Amino acid sequence: MLPPPPRRADPRRTFAAAALLAPGVLLLALILVWPFLVMLGMSLRERFPGPIGPSFAKYAEFLTDPYLLNVALRTFSLAATVTLLCAVLGYPIAWFLARSRSRWAHLVFLGTIFPLLVSIVVRTMGWTILLGNEGLVNAALLGLGLVTEPLRLMQGFWSVVLGMVHVLMPFMVLSIAAVLGRIDVAYAEAAATLGATPLRNFLSVTLPLSVQGVAAGSVIVFCLTVGAFITPIWLGRGHVTVMAIAIHEQMVTLVDWPGGAASGILLSLATLLLLGGYGLLLRRWARR
Amino acid sequence: MSGPAKGVALSGVAKWYGKVPAVRGLDLEVAPGEMVSLLGPSGCGKTTTLRMVAGLEAPDAGEIRIGGTRANEVPPWRRNIGMVFQSYALFPHKSVAENIAYGLVMRRLPRAEVAARVADAMRQVQLQGLDERVPSQLSGGQRQRVALARALVTRPDVLLFDEPLAALDRKLRERMQVEIRQLQRAVGITTIFVTHDQDEALTLSDRIVVMEGGRIVQSGTPGEIYERPGSHFVSDFIGMMNALRATVTGRAEDGGLRVRLEPGGRELAVAGPAGMAAGDGVELMLRPEKVRLNPPAGAGLIHVGGTVAHVVYLGAVTYLHVGTPDGLVIAMLPNAGGDAAAPRQGDAVTLGWRAADMVCFAPPRDA
């Protein structure tokens, strides 16, 4: 006679797993799910204080307001640009970190994570010191006589891009390096012996195999850019209004809480949709 | 193959890893269509040598020629080689068919020809019907075949193997050895095969090149290497060996050496290397299969009596470890008479072998 198959789960183990999971799950529920539900409720009111409709008036308002739609478009353009630049500029650094046996690799690693150790406020402030009208760059240009008036380096879309790329680059580099470091060098060597030039080798083997790292880094950078507040305010000097700033305006300046909540929900939804589509695209490409 | 098979020639090739020499001044010629094994313990420089032929490592000195043309400066992707890696290195994100097609796609062949040649190659290594699988869905032997097909389908000038069978279990390994050898013969491709497994080298090669410490210590057919090892290292590395300690007592009239076995004091005349003088310590190497059990008297054999200390039964053969006055002698006996016929531990036996079957070497310095 065969002994009966073992029971699926030992109740003691199940309890232990539940006990270990509980604090994290409760905390997440408290700081993520609960506020989200509150905001969802808020967005379904017509005014606050007032009853929860449910009314989609604030959503309709958003989707017909050219100013807000423009801000949303700018926000996602900014996020896409920053993500692309981080990926393109960060990949070679990640490559160096993952593959180089140089003694400089340690220094490059330190240089990469160092920005993470400094508060985002301080880093952005640093850029204002560099790029301001009386900043280092303008002082140098004036001093050298290359320009006669300070350049307005700091109120455009690209100055915000510059600051955001600097702030978020470590996330991209570390995500890509983590994946690159686990890819066996033999794949690229095999491709080379089969006749792949370095460029085709990279595009057909190493890049598809490291796409997970690029995807993870992109998600982090994109999300953080979409929600960025301080950097666009300081480096855009009021000329680069993004969603975070607009929502702040709606809620604090206009005291339109349902409107701000609806904007927030729509922003989250759009971000999720974009990232989902991006993930699908990458996966399909990598399996090609 | 584009045209007739091409040979490979290395002259004075050296490679350093930092301050450690990996390969020190290697001269090696592989004839067109020849299959050569580089055999040696790990760290002997065999893989480095192979990688230099592939172009994956650059030699620090010397010249590598493929088909008579200097290849030192040619990058791997222009060398027209095929290489099978120890880990197979099959692209995990590509299907079996895409893996095999890779080299053809890189050569920008027309789509129809790629498909035809991939199908051909898959038939050749018996992988029909697995086109759409990805490497993670294949068994070890199937992966091996895909790697082989991928390396061969481009019709390379040289085929390189870097211990490709190390990960397979014994049965499969032996079958793949025969398959690789048959395929290599059929295609007639110049092949260099790196291995640390002596059986593999004996099975596969036209010629075995034994390496130690970044140098070639002996090169010859499997028979030459096995029967007439040129050094203590080679005789010890290939196959099982008895090593009997002895002291040189003088030269014989025929130019051989007169030696005295150490513990027993028996005097023998053996063939030995030049440069030995009376009083030198030597080791007499003797293959276990040359030792006979209870041979008839006379017959010109050296006879030694002893007691069976240990019996290793392996099915096809039995190894007898026999303690004799001249030291421990291991004898390999075919089990023609079944498992009951072999002597047991504690039995008194007589062993015999021909003096000509012993090879005399100076013992390794660290021994």
Side-chain angles (χ1 to χ4, degrees):
Chain A
M1 265 287 281
L2 210 62
R7 290 228 323 248
R8 262 281 161 70
D10 180 340
R12 272 174 307 175
R13 277 172 167 253
T14 314
F15 177 76
L20 285 170
L21 283 174
V25 171
L26 284 177
L27 190 70
L28 271 183
L30 206 69
I31 65 171
L32 200 73
V33 181
W34 176 242
F36 183 80
L37 290 176
V38 168
M39 216 173 68
L40 194 64
M42 181 65 75
S43 74
L44 296 174
R45 298 168 202 257
E46 272 177 43
R47 60 193 169 280
F48 182 76
I52 298 183
S55 143
F56 292 96
K58 289 295 172 187
Y59 289 92
E61 242 171 61
F62 183 103
L63 294 172
T64 51
D65 183 339
Y67 170 75
L68 283 176
L69 288 176
N70 203 7
V71 169
L73 185 67
R74 185 180 302 125
T75 305
F76 288 118
S77 313
L78 179 73
T81 311
V82 170
T83 307
L84 184 73
L85 277 174
C86 277
V88 171
L89 299 176
Y91 203 105
I93 303 175
W95 180 285
F96 183 78
L97 284 182
R99 291 285 163 87
S100 168
R101 272 176 261 158
S102 153
R103 63 184 118 170
W104 298 106
H106 294 291
L107 278 180
V108 173
F109 180 72
L110 267 182
T112 306
I113 61 162
F114 195 72
L116 291 180
L117 307 178
V118 181
S119 133
I120 215 168
V121 177
V122 176
R123 274 180 285 169
T124 307
M125 188 62 99
W127 280 109
T128 67
I129 292 173
L130 274 178
L131 301 178
N133 281 356
E134 281 98 50
L136 214 59
V137 174
N138 270 319
L141 290 175
L142 287 169
L144 290 169
L146 292 173
V147 293
T148 49
E149 264 178 47
L151 296 178
R152 290 171 18 167
L153 293 171
M154 226 177 43
Q155 30 193 277
F157 181 79
W158 292 101
S159 61
V160 179
V161 168
L162 181 71
M164 294 300 310
V165 166
H166 171 238
V167 165
L168 298 176
M169 180 77 92
F171 295 106
M172 184 65 88
V173 171
L174 294 178
S175 305
I176 298 175
V179 174
L180 268 183
R182 275 184 278 129
I183 300 175
D184 190 346
V185 190
Y187 296 130
E189 290 182 345
T193 63
L194 289 165
T197 58
L199 180 66
R200 301 186 80 195
N201 195 334
F202 174 75
L203 291 177
S204 65
V205 176
T206 310
L207 188 58
L209 289 177
S210 63
V211 86
Q212 300 275 4
V214 179
S218 298
V219 168
I220 300 173
V221 170
F222 193 88
C223 286
L224 289 178
T225 309
V226 163
F229 184 69
I230 288 176
T231 310
I233 283 194
W234 282 9
L235 294 180
R237 288 291 144 113
H239 292 79
V240 187
T241 305
V242 293
M243 281 305 295
I245 300 175
I247 293 171
H248 184 259
E249 272 172 7
Q250 280 181 300
M251 289 199 153
V252 176
T253 316
L254 306 173
V255 206
D256 178 9
W257 285 36
S263 303
I265 298 278
L266 282 173
L267 180 66
S268 310
L269 219 65
T271 306
L272 273 179
L273 276 175
L274 279 172
L275 287 179
Y278 173 72
L280 274 178
L281 211 73
L282 276 190
R283 204 176 302 168
R284 173 147 328 159
W285 177 79
R287 225 190 284 147
R288 199 164 46 108
Chain B
M1 225 149 313
S2 36
K6 292 183 178 176
V8 177
L10 282 71
S11 52
V13 169
K15 176 74 186 173
W16 294 73
Y17 288 126
K19 287 180 179 169
V20 186
V23 175
R24 344 178 167 203
L26 199 88
D27 296 303
L28 173 67
E29 288 227 15
V30 183
E34 191 183 19
M35 181 147 190
V36 167
S37 290
L38 302 182
L39 175 67
S42 55
C44 72
K46 56 191 191 297
T47 294
T48 305
T49 305
L50 190 81
R51 289 172 61 83
M52 286 193 284
V53 175
L56 298 172
E57 306 277 354
D60 293 321
E63 191 178 59
I64 296 172
R65 291 174 162 270
I66 298 175
T69 319
R70 180 179 162 95
N72 286 41
E73 289 76 27
V74 181
W77 57 91
R78 281 202 229 111
R79 285 199 189 190
N80 196 30
I81 47 170
M83 183 156 172
V84 178
F85 289 76
Q86 184 166 16
S87 59
Y88 313 137
L90 300 179
F91 306 128
H93 58 302
K94 292 180 183 293
S95 70
V96 167
E98 286 168 338
N99 262 283
I100 298 174
Y102 188 84
L104 302 174
V105 172
M106 289 299 129
R107 283 163 173 77
R108 299 182 193 279
L109 293 185
R111 202 173 274 229
E113 192 183 345
V114 171
R117 274 167 72 169
V118 167
D120 240 20
M122 291 189 66
R123 222 179 353 262
Q124 206 167 20
V125 296
Q126 298 152 38
L127 280 171
Q128 300 100 310
L130 298 180
D131 316 47
E132 294 308 314
R133 297 266 185 98
V134 289
S136 59
Q137 297 168 323
L138 300 178
S139 71
Q142 288 169 334
R143 283 178 207 188
Q144 174 65 57
R145 289 195 172 91
V146 176
L148 195 58
R150 186 178 68 173
L152 271 173
V153 75
T154 58
R155 297 175 192 160
D157 293 326
V158 186
L159 190 54
L160 306 171
F161 290 93
D162 184 10
E163 306 211 25
L165 305 177
L168 302 180
D169 65 70
R170 190 177 164 157
K171 264 256 158 64
L172 190 56
R173 194 163 64 221
E174 283 168 3
R175 205 169 83 210
M176 289 307 300
Q177 285 166 3
V178 174
E179 273 182 36
I180 289 176
R181 181 61 167 149
Q182 286 173 341
L183 203 59
Q184 187 268 336
R185 281 228 172 97
V187 182
I189 186 173
T190 311
T191 304
I192 304 179
F193 193 104
V194 160
T195 180
H196 65 264
D197 181 334
Q198 35 149 329
D199 293 332
E200 204 159 284
L202 292 171
T203 313
L204 279 166
S205 328
D206 292 318
R207 188 153 58 94
I208 296 177
V209 172
V210 185
M211 291 183 65
E212 186 201 10
R215 286 196 186 87
I216 293 175
V217 289
Q218 194 177 357
S219 163
T221 64
E224 284 167 4
I225 296 277
Y226 187 84
E227 297 287 345
R228 289 179 289 287
S231 67
H232 191 280
F233 172 80
V234 174
S235 75
D236 198 38
F237 190 72
I238 314 243
M240 197 186 258
M241 269 293 186
N242 289 299
L244 301 175
R245 288 176 165 280
T247 308
V248 177
T249 55
R251 283 265 163 204
E253 299 83 55
D254 60 349
L257 286 175
R258 304 195 59 78
V259 298
R260 188 178 63 238
L261 287 176
E262 251 343 300
R266 175 195 296 265
E267 296 260 356
L268 294 170
V270 294
M276 288 281 179
D280 284 352
V282 292
E283 283 189 358
L284 303 176
M285 313 297 278
L286 175 67
R287 295 272 180 216
E289 72 272 16
K290 311 276 189 194
V291 180
R292 289 197 244 161
L293 180 69
N294 299 327
L301 296 181
I302 297 166
H303 286 198
V304 178
T307 313
V308 176
H310 190 63
V311 180
V312 180
Y313 176 76
L314 286 180
V317 296
T318 298
Y319 284 97
L320 287 188
H321 296 226
V322 179
T324 75
D326 299 313
L328 183 77
V329 176
I330 299 173
M332 188 187 95
L333 309 169
N335 282 336
D339 61 338
R344 288 161 208 285
Q345 192 175 334
D347 287 357
V349 293
T350 306
L351 301 178
W353 62 86
R354 297 189 308 154
D357 287 332
M358 289 193 297
V359 200
C360 174
F361 292 113
R365 244 162 258 145
D366 54 311

